[in-house]
Amino acid sequence: MALDQQAQPSSFFITTPIFYVNDAPHIGHAYTEVAADVLARWHRQAGDDTWFLTGTDEHGQKILRTATANGVAPKEWADRLVESAWKPLLDTIDLSNDDFIRTTDARHEEGVAKFLQKLYDDGHVYAGEFEALYCVGCEEFKPKSEIVDGEGAFAGEKVCAIHSKPLELLQEKNYFFKMSAFQERLLALYEERPDFVQPASARNEVIAFVQQGLEDLSISRTSFDWGIPIPWDSSHVTYVWFDALLNYVTATGYGADAAQFERRWPATHIVGKDILRFHAVIWPAMLMAAGLEVPRNVFAHGWLLVGGEKMSKSKLTGIAPNEITDTFGSDAFRYYFMRAISFGHDGSFSWEDLAARYQAELANGFGNLASRVLAMNQKYFEGRVPQAGSDEQPADAAIRELAADVAARADERISAFAIHEAIAAVWELVDALNGYITEQEPWALAKDPAQRDRLASVLYTTTEGLRVLAELLAPVIPQAAAKLWAALGAEEALGALEAQPIREAGRWGRLVAGTEQQRIAVLFPRIEIDGEGK
Ligand code: MSP
């Protein structure tokens, strides 16, 4: 047995941020979720020991205020929203998460208390007086660089640079985490592990921030009680970000299930760039203080822009994911956002662009290719995979080599978080197969009985090309890929699609001649676009 077959599968633990429970899910949230899901599905299919975690962030002043305004207790408010909005979102965009954590789960509250107690016992926490400007929108005491003078109704006041709303001056006795003590260790971490924070622009921003000097972090609040009590002083609740960041370890057994924790941790965190500092500075400092390993990677993606601005509910540019999936389906949603936006950069959303890519790339490029090839197998070979002749032509070899090449490149691009480039690489094969069919003209070969072998070779090449595509596209468009897989007869012959080792997808010849195929429904039906730009 080869050595690598004996090796343990490597662990791949991937997370999304946990979402503020009282925001209505919009496509910005769904974007983070889908990106993490594509990576999770890819690694799972590669045989890595994968665990995909998502969830909701339920404590803090912002949630307490909304619940109170709606006349409900905060826990009841959170329960309602998790059931009516956040869990349904997982189905809307076809997520394959292994776990869903809520910060009101007992496992989380117990883990946070243990973590805090450890930091306190080890001397990383002290009590102090505090006075600073707080933004409830960000749930953060704002650094000077993000405090600006208000305009219009807020003229004369200090406002948050992100939310443009007045800041609140808070004066409290707080517990502080001695974060400043970790400045040098953090800088050494960014230096020694250049891929710890990605992309490079995010890394540079984090380094510049830490180089300016780190202050200690206030980690408790006394002015309200919707939070996890500080274990040694129940008149305080834990600062919501300190509580929220810990979800990544409390969900994987911290302080409760050592074997699970050992198996999963450290994680790869996918976050929006607006919450980079929490994940790349505060979080590793917390872990260092607790004597735990820092995350494997923190990857910050860009913002979805609508009409040139960060899409947000408060600015009324928010779009609910099901507004898109109801018309285009979840596969198209996933494909569009992963393909059209460079992962790590901002990207604009428009209905026109979505509709155009749907039609050109999914319906005409990929869907049509699948139906044409299967229809020709039906017509010329009684619905079975034809037997390729022994005379491989240069055009056939080019497809075979391209399949191996794109499979390898896509895997490499995924490991570098360049999801859009991985998909673009796979699409080279879609385009090449379409070009190959146009050039080889199988319908013309079919008219000449002397060309029967050549026809079989051409259709074997295209059918096997579809097999490669189904495997490589399963993480991105799981539903269409599964339909194609079944139609190819591959389910019977090779087993479940998710069980196909994606790193071997490019190995040619796995689909065996004679395999019985099935009819395929149109993968991406034509969509009538209404007059409102949708
Ligand atoms: N609760 C915190 C995260 C705690 S993690 C320990 C939070 N929640 S959030 O609901 O406001 O945001 C969650 C994610 O959605 C973030 O990654 C954020 O960047 C992302 N997005 C929210 N609006 C977005 C866009 N317009 N575009 C892209 N992503 C956006 O922050």
Side-chain angles (χ1 to χ4, degrees):
M1 195 188 262
L3 259 184
D4 58 1
Q5 280 178 295
Q6 290 173 336
Q8 286 287 325
S10 47
S11 168
F12 183 72
F13 171 29
I14 186 155
T15 71
T16 70
I18 48 171
F19 300 91
Y20 286 128
V21 75
N22 63 346
D23 288 345
H26 59 54
I27 58 174
H29 304 126
Y31 177 63
T32 308
E33 293 267 36
V34 167
D37 187 63
V38 169
L39 296 171
R41 285 178 187 261
W42 191 284
H43 282 267
R44 213 179 273 128
Q45 207 179 314
D48 296 339
D49 185 19
T50 302
W51 195 251
F52 172 24
L53 173 70
T54 187
T56 42
D57 189 351
E58 305 186 7
H59 293 126
Q61 206 160 336
K62 191 157 55 171
I63 285 148
L64 178 63
R65 283 184 187 174
T66 340
T68 312
N70 283 276
V72 222
K75 174 66 166 61
E76 192 190 330
W77 178 242
D79 286 348
R80 271 195 214 171
L81 293 165
V82 165
E83 292 311 318
S84 66
W86 290 99
K87 289 206 166 153
L89 172 69
L90 308 177
D91 286 335
T92 304
I93 51 177
D94 206 359
L95 284 209
S96 67
N97 57 304
D98 296 290
D99 193 4
F100 187 96
I101 187 154
R102 300 180 53 181
T103 53
T104 49
D105 285 350
R107 58 176 173 163
H108 177 72
E109 299 194 344
E110 287 159 18
V112 170
K114 278 188 192 151
F115 188 96
L116 275 166
Q117 190 66 52
K118 170 148 178 62
L119 258 50
Y120 188 63
D121 293 345
D122 292 349
H124 295 291
V125 174
Y126 63 93
E129 280 296 325
F130 195 54
E131 183 183 272
L133 290 169
Y134 193 83
C135 171
V136 178
C138 298
E139 290 281 18
E140 186 186 16
F141 286 107
K142 300 310 294 180
K144 281 197 197 74
S145 57
E146 287 175 17
I147 300 176
V148 296
D149 291 324
E151 290 175 5
F154 304 131
E157 290 184 72
K158 293 289 178 199
V159 304
C160 166
I162 295 169
H163 289 88
S164 309
K165 296 230 176 91
L167 298 162
E168 299 180 16
L169 184 67
L170 296 181
Q171 215 170 2
E172 287 181 6
K173 178 193 162 206
N174 278 178
Y175 289 101
F176 285 83
F177 165 47
K178 286 186 198 164
M179 191 161 74
S180 56
F182 293 91
Q183 180 168 337
E184 294 313 317
R185 278 181 66 185
L186 285 169
L187 289 170
L189 167 70
Y190 311 138
E191 191 61 35
E192 283 156 22
R193 286 176 40 189
D195 63 354
F196 176 71
V197 183
Q198 296 187 55
S201 54
R203 173 173 182 261
N204 294 339
E205 186 193 314
V206 165
I207 293 176
F209 178 79
V210 176
Q211 275 171 344
Q212 278 173 16
L214 280 187
E215 291 181 7
D216 291 343
L217 179 74
S218 157
I219 58 162
S220 74
R221 307 289 307 279
T222 51
S223 55
F224 63 95
D225 64 359
W226 179 235
I228 300 177
I230 295 283
W232 61 89
D233 182 348
S234 60
S235 64
H236 289 240
V237 292
T238 310
Y239 168 47
V240 62
W241 266 101
F242 200 89
D243 159 353
L245 287 163
L246 282 164
N247 88 86
Y248 304 127
V249 294
T250 59
T252 39
Y254 169 76
D257 181 346
Q260 172 75 344
F261 189 66
E262 170 74 15
R263 178 172 173 187
R264 304 295 175 202
W265 191 253
T268 292
H269 298 305
I270 303 297
V271 301
K273 65 181 183 181
D274 47 334
I275 54 173
L276 172 65
R277 217 191 300 146
F278 294 98
H279 285 81
V281 181
I282 299 179
W283 179 224
M286 287 165 63
L287 289 160
M288 285 172 179
L292 299 174
E293 257 185 271
V294 297
R296 182 172 296 167
N297 300 113
V298 177
F299 187 95
H301 65 66
W303 284 338
L304 293 190
L305 309 174
V306 173
E309 272 200 53
K310 181 186 181 213
M311 193 212 52
S312 80
K313 205 185 125 219
S314 51
K315 292 189 174 146
L316 296 178
T317 48
I319 299 169
N322 67 308
E323 286 179 55
I324 294 177
T325 56
D326 285 351
T327 307
F328 292 89
S330 59
D331 276 357
F333 184 103
R334 298 165 61 93
Y335 173 81
Y336 173 72
F337 287 106
M338 293 300 105
R339 172 84 199 253
I341 297 170
S342 298
F343 197 51
H345 293 96
D346 291 351
S348 293
F349 167 80
S350 82
W351 289 99
E352 290 76 9
D353 190 29
L354 165 64
R357 280 186 183 268
Y358 177 92
Q359 199 51 43
E361 294 163 21
L362 290 175
N364 297 343
F366 175 64
N368 237 353
L369 172 69
S371 354
R372 285 166 84 196
V373 170
L374 285 158
M376 286 191 280
N377 285 346
Q378 194 69 42
K379 191 163 168 194
Y380 307 131
F381 292 94
E382 289 93 40
R384 290 182 185 273
V385 179
Q387 174 78 53
S390 52
D391 57 335
E392 188 185 61
Q393 303 284 310
D396 314 345
I399 294 287
R400 175 172 56 74
E401 282 158 14
L402 182 66
D405 177 47
V406 302
R409 269 191 287 137
D411 187 52
E412 188 280 323
R413 292 290 73 205
I414 287 284
S415 61
F417 299 97
I419 303 176
H420 57 293
E421 290 177 1
I423 301 175
V426 177
W427 232 257
E428 289 177 31
L429 184 58
V430 173
D431 293 339
L433 284 166
N434 278 317
Y436 175 85
I437 294 179
T438 309
E439 279 163 24
Q440 301 298 321
E441 299 186 317
W443 49 89
L445 296 172
K447 289 188 184 135
D448 179 359
Q451 298 279 14
R452 182 80 184 154
D453 264 9
R454 183 65 201 139
L455 174 65
S457 290
V458 168
L459 287 180
Y460 182 81
T461 302
T462 47
T463 309
E464 176 66 354
L466 285 178
R467 194 271 306 155
V468 176
L469 288 177
E471 291 186 22
L472 293 176
L473 290 172
V476 185
I477 46 173
Q479 296 185 5
K483 283 186 201 155
L484 174 58
W485 190 249
L488 286 169
E491 186 90 35
E492 293 266 299
L494 300 171
L497 177 56
E498 311 77 61
Q500 306 308 310
I502 207 163
R503 291 186 183 125
E504 288 173 35
R507 193 152 53 77
W508 199 251
R510 296 186 52 226
L511 206 55
V512 180
T515 301
E516 201 173 334
Q517 309 200 311
Q518 292 160 24
R519 291 193 179 276
I520 189 166
V522 176
L523 291 179
F524 295 97
R526 218 190 137 66
I527 286 171
E528 293 308 325
I529 310 290
D530 68 30
E532 292 168 356
K534 284 193 191 174

